Amino acid sequence: MTVIQPLASHQRTRWPRSLVALVIARAVNRLGSFAMAFMAVVLVEVHGASLATAGAVVTAFGAATIPSRLLGGWLADTVGRRPTIVAGLVACAAAQLVIAASPGIGGALVGATLLGLAYEIYEPASQALIAESVEAERRPQAYGLYGAAMAVAGVAAGALAALVGGVDLRLLFVADAVTCLCAAGLVLALVRDTGGRVPGPRRRGRSPWRDRRLLTMLALGTGFATAWILSTIALPLTASARGHEAAATGWLLVVAAMVTIAGQRLLRGAAARPFALIRAGLVLMAVGFAVVAYAATLPLLAVGSGIVALGEVLLLAPPIALVAGLATDASRAGYLAAYGTCWGIAQTIGPILATGLMSHGVPTVWLTGTGLCLALAAATAPVGRWMFTEGSR
């Protein structure tokens, strides 16, 4: 049985060119990833859909991302990392154009479902390629670099969304399609493949769905992802309920992005204690949620958002690096795909849960997130001991 790779410190060395190119390509793609946030708005304002119908379409998108992840993992371990990334990005671009050109709600539903089926194809391949581009002890920082680049691009995406959305909301999906194609071009030109295309006998390793360690990480990941989705849905609603203008949410996101970038230093020199980092991240998120629950002023909301973002730094990279260490090269993308379904599950149930809790008052949704994070944090110590014992057998 594969032993869990520890998280360890390392000397400063340059990142591989292929990894840097992949990070840049993902950041370019992130510039247009704002479009899905406006899907419900497009359905209501452009196509005249009811809020219930708009919610159903967005839910269909979220549900479709689950098989998308699994398909991406299978393709990455079968045909290779780079071809899978390119195919996923091109498929996303095509689906975005379907949405943009849709004359009505039915076409938008088809486009949203197609986008969901394509949306996560590239992710397992990208994560596997990162794991295979650096030494095991550098994986947490490599995934952190990936996340920091997306945070920076996310800030720029907000400005681009404001510019393009002011002309025509449907152009948001055209812009997203363009960034997908640009990212695909960068991957084709600059990224070197690292794995996949393993012949049949070597590929018949243990299924991730039979690995109890992977299933345990999936359960933890689903809890964290659900808490994260709660915060992303509730933050703009909270800012509005507290009397702040819509632009306030943009500033809160800028603060979160800056904290995400600065927080990457926490991953440098981390000891071989991934679950200690995960537990610290969950506690930080719980504290941040509690602050936001009762924060009335914008500075206090910014403090809460910053604390949440700092916790996310410790909850995004270490778990992915840990899961990557559970698998062999031939099955790594499949393992990462299985773990990544936690985001599809959270994306499906999170929005409904968040809006339902918001109806009982702003503090309710944030305090629910606090309780969820603290419960998960309490479970990390025994789970960590069990996983290292299981992995050493």
Side-chain angles (χ1 to χ4, degrees):
M1 183 173 290
T2 306
V3 178
I4 298 175
Q5 297 283 4
L7 308 184
S9 62
H10 66 277
Q11 291 77 28
R12 291 191 181 189
T13 55
R14 297 179 62 182
W15 294 112
R17 177 184 174 185
S18 186
L19 172 61
V20 173
L22 180 63
V23 169
I24 293 173
R26 187 66 179 93
V28 169
N29 179 226
R30 172 68 172 168
L31 287 173
S33 63
F34 48 72
M36 274 311 300
F38 291 88
M39 169 61 78
V41 180
V42 170
L43 289 169
V44 173
E45 295 189 4
V46 176
H47 299 302
S50 66
L51 287 175
T53 299
V57 173
V58 175
T59 299
F61 163 80
T65 62
I66 298 175
S68 175
R69 278 264 184 177
L70 299 177
L71 174 62
W74 180 80
L75 286 173
D77 282 336
T78 303
V79 303
R81 314 312 192 204
R82 188 173 70 164
T84 300
I85 294 171
V86 172
L89 289 169
V90 172
C92 280
Q96 296 275 16
L97 293 177
V98 169
I99 296 173
S102 172
I105 298 173
L109 173 60
V110 171
T113 303
L114 290 175
L115 180 59
L117 291 172
Y119 202 72
E120 299 287 350
I121 287 177
Y122 65 82
E123 199 66 58
S126 298
Q127 293 174 349
L129 195 150
I130 290 173
E132 293 154 0
S133 296
V134 298
E135 301 84 355
E137 61 269 18
R138 300 188 70 195
R139 286 173 184 164
Q141 278 194 266
Y143 288 122
L145 176 68
Y146 194 63
M150 288 196 291
V152 174
V155 175
L160 183 59
L163 178 65
V164 176
V167 179
D168 188 331
L169 288 174
R170 287 173 293 188
L171 289 179
L172 294 171
F173 295 95
V174 176
D176 200 349
V178 171
T179 63
C180 285
L181 294 176
C182 289
L186 287 172
V187 171
L188 274 176
L190 301 175
V191 174
R192 180 178 60 86
D193 211 341
T194 59
R197 302 183 303 278
V198 181
R202 290 181 58 194
R203 295 192 65 253
R204 292 172 188 163
R206 186 175 186 180
S207 166
W209 302 108
R210 296 182 179 179
D211 191 329
R212 292 185 297 173
R213 298 168 301 164
L214 185 281
L215 295 178
T216 300
M217 290 303 301
L218 175 59
L220 287 174
T222 300
F224 153 65
T226 300
W228 187 85
I229 293 294
L230 287 178
S231 69
T232 59
I233 298 295
L235 185 61
L237 297 174
T238 298
S240 176
R242 300 277 161 80
H244 302 292
E245 297 180 356
T249 300
W251 287 113
L252 294 175
L253 295 178
V254 169
V255 170
M258 293 174 63
V259 171
T260 298
I261 296 166
Q264 299 306 311
R265 294 181 177 273
L266 296 177
L267 300 176
R268 184 176 298 163
R273 298 182 301 159
F275 283 96
L277 295 177
I278 294 171
R279 181 164 56 254
L282 288 166
V283 171
L284 282 170
M285 280 194 69
V287 172
F289 282 2
V291 171
V292 175
Y294 295 105
T297 65
L298 190 59
L300 275 179
L301 285 172
V303 169
S305 298
I307 296 173
V308 171
L310 193 60
E312 290 172 359
V313 170
L314 301 180
L315 285 167
L316 288 174
I320 297 175
L322 197 154
V323 170
L326 294 176
T328 63
D329 288 346
S331 62
R332 182 164 290 116
Y335 265 67
L336 290 166
Y339 173 73
T341 58
C342 66
W343 291 100
I345 296 170
Q347 182 66 47
T348 302
I349 65 176
I352 298 174
L353 181 60
T355 53
L357 290 171
M358 284 290 292
S359 66
H360 296 286
V362 170
T364 303
V365 64
W366 294 103
L367 294 180
T368 299
T370 296
L372 175 59
C373 289
L374 290 177
L376 292 170
T380 54
V383 167
R385 288 193 296 269
W386 171 80
M387 284 191 65
F388 277 104
T389 300
E390 184 79 2
S392 63
R393 292 178 181 176

